[in-house]
Structure formats: structure tokens, C-alpha cells
Amino acid sequence: MTPWPAKHLTADDLDAFHSEALTKEMQLHLETCEDCRYLVAADRELVELLGRLPVLEPQAGFVDRVMTRVTIAEPVPVPVLSFPRLTRSRVGGLLAAAAGICLSVAWSATNRAALDGWLIAAQSTAVDSVTALAQATMANLAGQSWYESARQIVGSPLRTAVVVAASGVLYLTGIVALRRLITPSGPVSNARA
Amino acid sequence: MPIRPGSLRDKTDQDVVALAKEGEEEAYRELIRRYERPVFSLIFRMVRNRELAEDLSQETFVKVLNAVQSYRPEFKFSSWVFKIANNAAIDHIRKRELDTLSLEGSPHADTPELIEATALQISERGESQLDEVANRELGGTIERAIEVLRPEYRACIMLRHVEGRTYEEIAEILNLPLGTVKTYIHRARNELRILLREVKDE
């Protein structure tokens, strides 16, 4: 990079000049360089001319003309979070619910053995039901006419590998097809402000 | 209680916009009054046609005010208005190249009345008649020089040196990188300097 004061003024230096942020080196260069002095003077004249350009006005009644085409916004209601009003019946309901919870806790604490018995019975019933459902489903599956053929197909590791690979290919083909279906065909234009 | 006309003059843009969002008609009017001149000046100097500039200015304000509910106060309101005004002008220029300018009136006006009716109204700045004539001559030269610039340069130079916007604001308004804005402004000033020199040499 050429050092000051030998190098000429750049566009940024001209900006610095207009904002009166001229460095000593730039000043020194300006004293010796006629081209840059001319550039600065011309640029200063131009900036002054631009700054003196008149403000232009639209014809009278512009505000009214615009207002005929503007829809005055309805004020957006600000949601206010508030508790429902406490009526006598609501207070009664709340107190009853609180009392119910307290009684329930107290009863559970004093009748622990009975509560455990009920829970264990309910748990064992649920497990028995799920096991019975699974056994019935498997028995039903094994009773189907195609079950034996399907078992033979996956009976050897090689055949199993072939079936898994074919299923994978089928799955990927389906994904690709679906992606093509949901991708838009043309570019989407963007609205501008 | 409705707001009295003119009572919002001391309020900031953000305050006036907030009132507009509440549905205050006077706030809408105040926003138009604040920006009608700069927006019209910018658009006129872009499209060089009075009637068209009026139409595009109206479009700008209608767009801005009808979308005032969606305005986000973290952005400068003036930048938003100028952005929409500039887009309106650039869109029009792209659709149709305009090549005529008349500070004195429409080129299609063929009677003195029509010429006067279509002439630009320049706001008073308390200048003497002599100063006004001298400034009109200089202004006419620079106006014609600006007309020759590319629309992008025109917008940049107007926003920087007529509206006094910072480079950062111009970048935001025109949706351009800061470096591009600086380059455009410097190139525009170069071209204007050359054009003015040519006029002086003639």
C-alpha cells in the first residue's frame, strides 16, 4: 500500500473530508497534489448542490386522497389474563374438591394394606389379560394357510437376506416416489414489500 | 376522545405509529404529512413524471398505512417507508423506461395553463428572488445530471445526499450490502462530477 502523502485520495477519504475527519497526512497530500485538490473542490461543490436540491411537494389534498384509500386499523384487543370471578357456588365447589383430596389422602394413609391389595390384584389382572391376548394372536397367526410358506421362505439365512434387501429396495423406492410427488415442479416467486 | 389535528407534531414516529395501531385517524394523517414531501421527492426524481410520482407516492402510503399493524417498532419507520417507496419506483422503472423530465411542466402540456398546472411545486425556503433563480439554474443542472444516472445510483445518491441517510440505513432501505451502497454512491458522485464539469465546459 502506498503511504501518505504520496497516494491520492480515495472515495473513503473524500467521505472523511466531507465529515471533517481529515487526517494530517491527507491535509499534507492535499497541499501538494493539485489533482486531489480539484477532486475535493468538485466533490464538495457537488455535495452542496445535492444538499440544496428543493423538496418537492405533491399537489394539494394529497393527504385526503391517500386517506380515502386507507382502511383505518381496528385496534387489536390485548388479551388480559384474569381469574374467573369467585362466586359463592364456585368457592363451595373449590372447598368441596379440596376436602375430597384431603380425605382421600388421609384414607390412603390409614388403610395402606387394603390399598396395596387392590393395586396388586389390578396389576396381576392386567398382566394376565395382555399375555392371553398375545397367545391368542400368535395361535391365530400360526393357523393361517400362508404361515407355513412364509416360514419356509425365511427359513435359511440367504433367503432371509434376499427378503430383507427386497423390502429395503421397495421402501426406498416408495420414499423417492413420495418425495417427487410432494416437491413443487417450478420456482416459487417471492412477494416483495 | 379524538386527537386534535396537528397535536402529534412533537411525537416520535414510533409514538404516532402506536396511535395509528389503535385506530386514530389523525395519527395516519400525521404520518402522511411527515413523509409526503420526502417520499414524493424521491419517487419523482426516480421516475421523472409528476402524475406518476403522485400515483406511486399514494400507492406507497396506502401500502404502508394498510400494513401499519404489522410494523415492527425495532425498525426505523422512515426506513420502512422509503423502502416501499423505492420498491414502487424501481418496479415501475423496470416495467417501463422513462426518458423525459420537465421541471417546468409536462411535455404533453400544450397550453400555458396546462404547463403551469403540471409544473413542479417547489417549497419556499425564504430565499430572495435572485437566489431562487440562481438556485433553479444550478438545481436544473443537477436534476438533469441525476436523471442520467442508473436508477440504483439515483436512489442511493438521493437517500444519502438529499435525505441525509447513513450508509447503513440506505443498505437497509435498498436491501443491499453496505459495500455495494458505498460503491454505488461513489460511482454516482464520480458520474455527477463528470457531468457537471461537462456542463460547465460548454
Side-chain angles (χ1 to χ4, degrees):
Chain A
M1 201 175 134
T2 318
W4 288 103
K7 70 165 182 170
H8 290 295
L9 292 182
T10 63
D12 285 337
D13 299 331
L14 281 175
D15 276 346
F17 185 85
H18 294 310
S19 58
E20 292 174 356
L22 207 62
T23 62
K24 258 186 190 169
E25 290 84 358
M26 284 156 78
Q27 189 68 52
L28 192 65
H29 175 75
L30 274 178
E31 283 170 14
T32 55
C33 180
E34 198 175 330
D35 287 346
C36 284
R37 265 206 310 274
Y38 175 80
L39 181 70
V40 163
D43 206 56
R44 183 159 55 183
E45 186 188 19
L46 172 68
V47 170
E48 281 174 8
L49 271 177
L50 288 167
R52 284 211 304 266
L53 277 178
V55 178
L56 309 175
E57 285 183 37
Q59 294 207 351
F62 180 80
V63 177
D64 293 327
R65 286 197 297 282
V66 172
M67 285 308 290
T68 57
R69 297 175 57 197
V70 170
T71 312
I72 305 270
E74 288 290 320
V76 179
V78 181
V80 179
L81 292 175
S82 62
F83 289 107
R85 212 156 56 86
L86 286 177
T87 59
R88 196 173 285 180
S89 59
R90 280 177 184 160
V91 172
L94 282 172
L95 287 175
I101 293 167
C102 290
L103 283 172
S104 164
V105 171
W107 185 89
S108 303
T110 50
N111 299 282
R112 188 69 189 260
L115 193 65
D116 283 349
W118 290 348
L119 286 174
I120 289 163
Q123 189 184 1
S124 108
T125 309
V127 170
D128 288 350
S129 303
V130 170
T131 311
L133 184 67
Q135 281 173 344
T137 307
M138 286 311 293
N140 193 355
L141 201 64
Q144 298 296 320
S145 56
W146 49 263
Y147 179 76
E148 218 29 62
S149 325
R151 235 185 113 179
Q152 276 175 8
I153 288 171
V154 292
S156 81
L158 183 68
R159 281 201 293 253
T160 305
V162 171
V163 168
V164 169
S167 306
V169 169
L170 199 65
Y171 176 75
L172 286 175
T173 312
I175 293 283
V176 170
L178 194 65
R179 213 183 142 169
R180 284 202 173 184
L181 273 175
I182 60 174
T183 305
S185 53
V188 179
S189 62
N190 290 315
R192 295 174 65 198
Chain B
M1 200 173 115
I3 298 170
R4 276 183 298 110
S7 61
L8 299 176
R9 261 177 221 150
D10 300 334
K11 300 249 181 212
T12 63
D13 281 357
Q14 308 293 356
D15 291 341
V16 181
V17 171
L19 287 168
K21 282 184 174 184
E22 288 171 19
E24 290 290 350
E25 186 181 335
E26 185 50 31
Y28 281 74
R29 290 179 175 274
E30 176 63 22
L31 290 173
I32 303 171
R33 277 194 291 269
R34 280 184 191 191
Y35 290 101
E36 63 177 327
R37 289 190 196 180
V39 163
F40 178 76
S41 297
L42 175 74
I43 294 181
F44 177 81
R45 289 189 170 110
M46 297 287 285
V47 300
R48 322 306 310 189
N49 177 301
R50 186 178 176 85
E51 273 177 38
L52 185 58
E54 286 244 9
D55 286 348
L56 293 175
S57 302
Q58 273 195 42
E59 289 298 328
T60 299
F61 282 106
V62 169
K63 238 180 206 174
V64 166
L65 296 177
N66 279 341
V68 79
Q69 291 289 8
S70 63
Y71 167 69
R72 286 156 63 191
E74 61 264 33
F75 297 108
K76 250 184 138 175
F77 181 77
S78 58
S79 297
W80 188 43
V81 175
F82 281 121
K83 188 189 216 86
I84 293 177
N86 179 67
N87 282 349
I90 291 282
D91 281 351
H92 180 83
I93 291 168
R94 280 184 188 150
K95 278 184 207 153
R96 192 175 128 201
E97 279 293 324
L98 289 166
D99 55 359
T100 52
L101 158 70
S102 175
L103 277 173
E104 288 76 33
S106 164
H108 307 296
D110 44 13
T111 64
E113 291 78 24
L114 265 178
I115 289 170
E116 196 179 341
T118 55
L120 280 172
Q121 291 162 9
I122 296 169
S123 51
E124 298 281 330
R125 281 182 171 176
E127 294 162 331
S128 72
Q129 278 188 325
L130 210 62
D131 286 344
E132 207 178 307
V133 170
N135 283 341
R136 265 182 90 98
E137 281 173 10
L138 278 169
T141 308
I142 192 83
E143 292 275 11
R144 277 186 287 276
I146 291 169
E147 187 193 349
V148 183
L149 294 176
R150 277 170 54 177
E152 295 85 359
Y153 290 6
R154 241 182 274 170
C156 283
I157 209 86
M158 300 305 304
L159 288 166
R160 177 79 185 114
H161 292 294
V162 181
E163 293 306 323
R165 303 277 144 183
T166 62
Y167 286 126
E168 287 78 9
E169 280 177 303
I170 298 169
E172 192 189 318
I173 291 168
L174 303 180
N175 212 15
L176 290 171
L178 187 63
T180 308
V181 168
K182 283 187 177 182
T183 306
Y184 280 7
I185 288 174
H186 293 142
R187 282 185 190 163
R189 287 218 306 253
N190 269 343
E191 287 184 21
L192 287 174
R193 274 199 310 269
I194 292 165
L195 288 165
L196 286 178
R197 191 179 179 176
E198 281 172 7
V199 171
K200 277 185 180 175
D201 291 346
E202 276 173 10

